[in-house]
């Protein structure tokens, strides 16, 4: 619509915003009218009309099988458009048009804003299935007539009301028509069923909707005057009411077809099951986060016990083995701590990698610097947990075996993420690999853990080779789907 309006018409951005607001709301008019809607805007030179938007009804057959958006018609070919634009009033023709052997009733509704007519809505009703209307259909048509008059007067849509049309109730979900005092004149079967779920034991017709709704809501001392006002339809608002075994979402639309408040339209939808599922998901998410939090605490307790045990060991090799175990447990704890703060089982791994770097670097303070380049991005928990252990082992191996006491150097982690694979390189500038070293066969416990996790659990590849100039280079390739 933006392109068509700017290319063909003289409307400014504020006019275009009004048309967007109208189009976001006019599904309601289409459903209440049982009719197709096409928005025509006069071109810049005033000789033609361009159709910039179209809507088909959910409540009846369409009058247009083809897409009308972008069509241009000369002024004079459709007299109803000319009359509505020039005179600023709703125009209805006498005899229906015949389109492909289908009778169609055509009406034109001027779209007014700040006293100017921006365009015309052509309302086209397929009359092929016309029959004696029911009370529901009569209420729909009367409400549609009131909305059309408000559009022609520039009183609808409501500029201050921002409605999420994907989540807002529609006419078919449930409809209540109120008079000027807030008394129910008509309630559709779906609307009545929703109120019965709230605990209503009688019919709604003849009752004050605001007071009836407030009585069904949970008791909070005095009657909630704000709820009474909202449910009476005096202002365009959307709100929810919970009572009994149900939750209903309501949207009030004041009707002022001639500038005077004559009643209100209340659309409503039973959202009981939707809210129940949302609460279940929230409870499930909270439970999962609490589990990760407790696992992290338990792992930190295990690490603390191992650290205490290491301090009591007389053997240097035993003490070093326990300290390595502390770091392994700590790397897993970091992942669970991150997972305890998210809503799903996915983590931003760059933060975890940096914390692993800081933790492992503690074993060589001031001698060797460790840094990361590139981004790991968001990874699932199934990949993040073993990968954190792999990085811990590789960094620990590089710092302990690549550099001697007092030697300085650097260890670099590089991450390159593609669509299906992530390539991770760990490279140091230390003393390098011993002669005849085979990374797939030889190695200490740390390298055995790396091979097992990378190949067996993550389904990736692992290679350790001499660096181009000096030191050792480890290359991992991991699929992004575990």
């Amino acid at each position: 619509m933006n392109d068509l309006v700017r290319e063909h018409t003289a409307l400014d951005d504020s006019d275009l915003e009004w048309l967007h607001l109208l189009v976001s709301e006019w599904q309601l008019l289409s459903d209440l009218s049982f009719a197709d809607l096409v928005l025509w805007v006069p071109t810049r030179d005033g000789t033609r009309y361009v159709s910039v938007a179209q809507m088909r009804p959910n409540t009846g057959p369409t009058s247009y099988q083809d897409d009308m958006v972008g069509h241009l018609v000369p002024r004079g070919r459709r007299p109803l458009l000319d009359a509505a634009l020039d005179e600023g009033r709703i125009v209805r023709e006498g005899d229906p048009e015949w389109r492909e052997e289908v009778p169609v009733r055509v009406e034109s509704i001027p779209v007014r804003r700040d006293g100017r007519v921006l365009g015309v809505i052509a309302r086209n009703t397929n009359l092929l299935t016309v029959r004696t209307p029911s009370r529901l259909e009569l209420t729909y048509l009367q409400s549609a007539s009131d909305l059309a008059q408000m559009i022609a007067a520039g009183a609808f849509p409501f500029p201050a009301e921002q409605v999420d049309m994907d989540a807002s109730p529609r006419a078919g979900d449930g409809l209540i028509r109120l008079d000027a005092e807030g008394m129910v004149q008509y309630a559709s079967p779906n609307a009545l069923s929703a109120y019965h779920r709230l605990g209503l034991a009688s019919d709604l017709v003849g009752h004050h909707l605001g007071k009836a709704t407030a009585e069904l809501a949970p008791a909070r001392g005095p009657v909630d005057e704000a709820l009474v006002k909202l449910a009476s339809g005096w202002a365009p608002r959307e709100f929810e009411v919970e009572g009994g075994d149900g939750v209903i979402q309501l949207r009030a639309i004041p009707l002022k077809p001639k500038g005077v408040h004559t009643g209100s339209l209340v659309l409503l939808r039973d959202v009981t099951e939707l809210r129940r599922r949302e609460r279940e998901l929230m409870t499930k998410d909270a439970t999962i986060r609490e589990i990760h939090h407790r696992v992290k605490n338990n792992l930190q307790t295990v690490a603390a016990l191992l650290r205490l045990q290491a301090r009591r060991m007389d053997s240097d090799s035993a003490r070093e083995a326990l300290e390595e175990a502390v770091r392994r447990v700590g790397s897993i704890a970091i992942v669970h701590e991150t997972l305890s703060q998210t809503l799903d089982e996915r983590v931003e791994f760059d933060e975890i990698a940096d914390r692993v770097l800081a933790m492992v670097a503690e074993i060589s303070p001031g001698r060797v610097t460790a840094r990361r380049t590139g981004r790991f991005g968001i990874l699932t928990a199934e990949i993040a947990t073993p990968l954190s252990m792999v990085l811990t082992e590789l960094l620990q191996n590089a710092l302990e075996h690549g550099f001697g006491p007092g030697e300085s150097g650097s260890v670099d982690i590089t991450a390159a993420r593609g669509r299906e694979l992530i390539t991770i390189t760990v490279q140091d500038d230390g003393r390098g690999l011993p002669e005849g070293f085979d990374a797939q066969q030889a190695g200490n416990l740390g390298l055995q853990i790396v091979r097992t996790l990378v190949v067996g659990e993550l389904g990736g590849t692992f290679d350790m080779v001499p660096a181009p100039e000096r030191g050792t280079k480890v290359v991992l390739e991991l699929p992004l789907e575990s």
Side-chain angles (χ1 to χ4, degrees), residues 194-482:
Y195 264 84
H196 283 167
R197 193 160 188 177
L198 286 183
L200 181 70
S202 61
D203 194 0
L204 272 173
V205 176
H207 290 77
H208 190 279
L209 185 65
K211 294 179 180 178
T213 304
E215 290 172 357
L216 294 171
R220 294 187 295 270
V223 175
D224 190 338
E225 294 296 335
L227 181 57
V228 173
K229 198 76 172 177
L230 287 173
S232 298
W234 282 92
R237 292 289 185 273
E238 191 168 307
F239 56 99
E240 286 190 5
V241 176
E242 181 173 359
D245 296 326
V247 182
I248 60 173
Q249 181 183 13
L250 300 97
R251 182 191 176 196
I253 302 173
L255 297 176
K256 301 178 181 179
K258 296 182 180 179
V260 179
H261 181 75
T262 60
S264 303
L265 198 61
V266 178
L267 307 178
L268 59 100
R269 180 173 59 173
D270 186 342
V271 293
T272 305
E273 296 305 317
L274 178 63
R275 296 295 177 260
R276 182 183 63 81
R277 288 195 297 269
E278 288 177 351
R279 290 181 184 126
E280 288 179 352
L281 288 175
M282 291 175 62
T283 302
K284 178 181 177 182
D285 290 339
T287 301
I288 291 174
R289 289 197 297 270
E290 179 63 22
I291 290 173
H292 285 303
H293 182 71
R294 294 188 181 188
V295 169
K296 182 263 298 184
N297 288 344
N298 290 339
L299 288 173
Q300 289 180 337
T301 300
V302 171
L305 292 174
L306 291 174
R307 196 176 292 110
L308 289 173
Q309 186 66 41
R311 293 172 183 170
R312 295 176 178 271
M313 301 299 294
D314 296 329
S315 169
D316 291 341
S317 60
R319 187 183 304 108
E320 290 176 359
L322 288 175
E323 289 174 351
E324 287 182 3
V326 168
R327 285 188 285 274
R328 288 166 185 150
V329 172
S331 66
I332 301 175
I334 291 173
V335 177
H336 283 282
E337 181 180 3
T338 306
L339 287 170
S340 69
Q341 301 169 3
T342 63
L343 294 176
D344 55 11
E345 294 291 285
R346 298 161 64 85
V347 294
E348 177 62 62
F349 196 80
D350 295 327
E351 177 186 351
I352 294 175
D354 292 340
R355 293 181 63 180
V356 169
L357 275 170
M359 179 182 67
V360 176
E362 291 177 358
I363 67 174
S364 57
R367 293 190 302 113
V368 180
T369 59
R371 56 181 176 265
R372 170 183 64 86
T373 58
R375 293 193 71 251
F376 289 87
I378 296 177
L379 299 177
T380 63
E382 291 84 355
I383 298 176
T385 301
L387 181 56
S388 67
M389 286 196 65
V390 167
L391 290 181
T392 301
E393 298 300 333
L394 292 177
L395 289 168
Q396 189 168 294
N397 188 74
L399 294 172
E400 289 186 353
H401 302 289
F403 303 93
E407 293 182 351
S408 61
S410 63
V411 180
D412 295 311
I413 295 180
T414 304
R417 179 164 180 160
R419 295 186 61 181
E420 299 180 353
L421 289 175
I422 182 169
T423 302
I424 302 164
T425 304
V426 180
Q427 182 171 328
D428 65 70
D429 56 0
R431 64 185 66 172
L433 297 172
E435 189 73 25
F437 180 83
D438 183 359
Q440 304 303 326
Q441 300 295 329
N444 53 22
L445 175 61
L447 290 182
Q448 293 178 24
I449 292 174
V450 170
R451 284 196 298 268
T452 301
L453 292 177
V454 171
V455 179
E457 186 164 345
L458 295 174
T461 60
F462 160 71
D463 196 14
M464 178 180 284
V465 296
E469 297 182 0
R470 180 187 177 189
T472 303
K473 179 179 180 181
V474 179
V475 180
L476 310 174
E477 284 193 346
L478 308 177
L480 290 174
E481 293 295 332
S482 61

Side-chain angles (χ1 to χ4, degrees), residues 7-155:
E7 179 182 355
H8 295 285
T9 78
L11 300 182
D12 58 26
D13 288 343
S14 61
D15 295 331
L16 180 58
E17 185 62 31
W18 181 264
L19 295 184
H20 274 293
L21 187 60
L22 172 66
V23 168
S24 72
E25 294 273 24
W26 72 345
Q27 178 72 67
L28 175 61
L29 177 63
S30 178
D31 290 344
L32 294 176
S33 303
F34 309 99
D36 291 77
L37 305 178
V38 179
L39 178 57
W40 297 93
V41 180
T43 56
R44 190 174 288 106
D45 58 10
T47 62
R48 295 180 296 175
Y49 297 95
V50 58
S51 58
V52 299
Q54 179 179 1
M55 178 58 66
R56 293 183 174 89
N58 294 319
T59 52
T62 182
S63 301
Y64 288 112
Q65 298 298 329
D66 300 327
D67 189 359
M68 296 296 296
V69 176
H71 283 213
L72 288 162
V73 297
R75 184 179 173 89
R77 179 174 296 179
R78 301 193 177 183
L80 296 183
L81 294 182
D82 297 338
L85 182 68
D86 296 339
E87 301 173 22
R89 63 179 180 86
I90 299 175
V91 181
R92 298 180 175 88
E93 49 79 54
D95 297 327
E97 294 182 3
W98 287 84
R99 300 175 186 167
E100 299 179 356
E101 300 184 354
V102 175
V104 177
R105 183 175 62 242
V106 180
E107 303 169 85
S108 294
I109 306 168
V111 177
R112 191 183 302 272
R113 174 179 179 263
D114 293 338
R116 297 181 299 115
V117 177
L118 307 182
V120 179
I121 295 175
R123 180 164 56 176
N124 303 270
T125 308
N126 187 324
L127 301 177
L128 194 61
T129 58
V130 168
R131 53 187 171 78
T132 303
S134 65
R135 179 73 187 280
L136 171 66
E137 291 167 333
L138 290 173
T139 303
Y140 272 30
L141 293 172
Q142 178 59 51
S143 301
S145 176
D146 291 340
L147 287 177
Q149 292 184 55
M150 292 171 65
I151 291 173

